Amino acid sequence: MTTTPLTYLYAPGDRPGVVLKAIASGADVVIVDLEDAVAPDRKKYALAATAELLAAPQPLPVHVRINSPRAPEEIETLTGLPGLCALRVPKVAHGTDIRRVASLAPGVPLYPLLESALAIEHAYAIATAHPAVHGIAIGEADLRADLGVRDGSSLDWPRIRIVIAARAAGLAPPTQSVFPDIRDLDALYASCTHGRALGFLGRAAIHPRQLPVIERAFRPTPEEIEAAAQVVKAAAADGGALALPDGRFVDAAIVAAAERTLSLARREIP
């Protein structure tokens, strides 16, 4: 069994000390950022510092967000490093973008970030562009700018679109984009529960204080765990469709969902 990741913490690549603190923060995955969090005149240093850090294995999965699919120096520098777990690829609009990265990074898992209307339209094609694609996600700030919208709920359609594309491609559920206000933890929790209802699993964070809120929002509640256990127990006693004493109807799809709930409660991937 491996642990189901729920929390992904970004850290700027040009601040190695912050990256080390992120690795020790309790996040499930750390994403070293070479893109938005790094000033243009610090890009080369960020790449060199990240390569130095990842020259050794790390105690948890470390992903690196490169600057674009057309960043061959970054891709070639990072590929093969013992501490690199995956590359996060922003500005992906076509399947060809991912195939280009995959050709430069053989064996490295890739996570395309969909940040434009065109990318959302090509979501399934991107998700299935190459076997190296292990997941897809939205870059909501850039997508909101591209669409010219302000209200977060206006992104619900593209959010659902990538949830469906990921499922159709046989990938894990997408993770939610970052929540930019690190002080309003109540709003973060509400946003996470909304994302969970849409089919997301886990979320990226920009500050360690957001991590426990994200985990709490995405882990099943005690009531959900109890209900799932009842379903699995009933299905084990009677392999066909049946109705529970409280009136819930149980069939194969309901049992599968209940088993996923129990696996997530244990933080395990079967």
Side-chain angles (χ1 to χ4, degrees), residues 231-265:
V231 168
V232 172
K233 182 178 179 180
D238 187 336
L242 70 152
L244 297 179
D246 63 4
R248 285 180 294 156
F249 181 76
V250 176
D251 62 8
I254 299 298
V255 174
E259 289 173 340
R260 286 196 297 271
T261 296
L262 295 179
S263 290
L264 182 57

Side-chain angles (χ1 to χ4, degrees), residues 114 116-127 136-138 143 155-169 174 198-200:
L114 284 59
S116 66
L118 184 60
I120 298 299
E121 284 299 298
H122 292 161
Y124 179 72
I126 292 169
I136 58 175
I138 291 180
L143 180 59
L155 295 184
D156 277 358
W157 185 85
R159 289 167 179 153
I160 293 172
R161 178 72 179 267
I162 72 157
V163 168
I164 293 172
R167 179 61 179 168
L198 295 178
F200 287 84

Side-chain angles (χ1 to χ4, degrees), residues 32-220:
V32 180
D33 193 11
L34 302 182
E35 192 203 16
D36 290 344
V38 179
D41 62 350
R42 300 272 291 175
K43 298 285 188 183
K44 286 188 178 296
Y45 171 71
L47 177 59
T50 300
E52 182 178 357
L53 173 72
L54 298 183
Q58 298 301 311
L60 81 172
V62 176
H63 298 187
V64 177
R65 180 166 73 171
I66 59 176
N67 276 282
S68 82
R70 295 172 176 80
E73 180 184 359
E74 294 176 358
I75 299 166
E76 292 171 354
T77 298
L78 297 168
T79 296
L81 294 178
L84 179 71
C85 181
L87 292 176
R88 298 256 164 178
V89 188
K91 303 180 180 70
V92 173
H94 303 272
T96 53
D97 293 330
I98 281 298
R99 288 190 286 273
R100 178 183 297 111
V101 176
S103 69
L104 296 173
V108 178
L110 304 178
Y111 289 82
L113 301 179
L114 284 59
E115 302 177 290
S116 66
L118 184 60
I120 298 299
E121 284 299 298
H122 292 161
Y124 179 72
I126 292 169
T128 57
H130 194 277
V133 176
H134 282 216
I136 58 175
I138 291 180
E140 291 196 356
D142 285 350
L143 180 59
R144 189 178 288 113
D146 188 44
L147 297 176
V149 299
R150 295 183 179 180
D151 183 5
S153 64
S154 60
L155 295 184
D156 277 358
W157 185 85
R159 289 167 179 153
I160 293 172
R161 178 72 179 267
I162 72 157
V163 168
I164 293 172
R167 179 61 179 168
L171 303 176
T175 57
Q176 273 189 282
S177 185
V178 299
F179 189 81
D181 189 338
I182 65 172
R183 297 166 297 178
D184 195 342
L185 299 182
D186 289 338
L188 169 62
Y189 183 80
S191 176
C192 289
T193 57
H194 179 64
R196 183 183 175 197
L198 295 178
F200 287 84
L201 181 62
R203 186 165 202 162
I206 54 175
H207 195 282
R209 72 177 63 168
Q210 296 178 316
L211 300 177
V213 178
I214 293 170
E215 181 166 348
R216 179 165 58 92
F218 282 98
R219 290 194 72 165

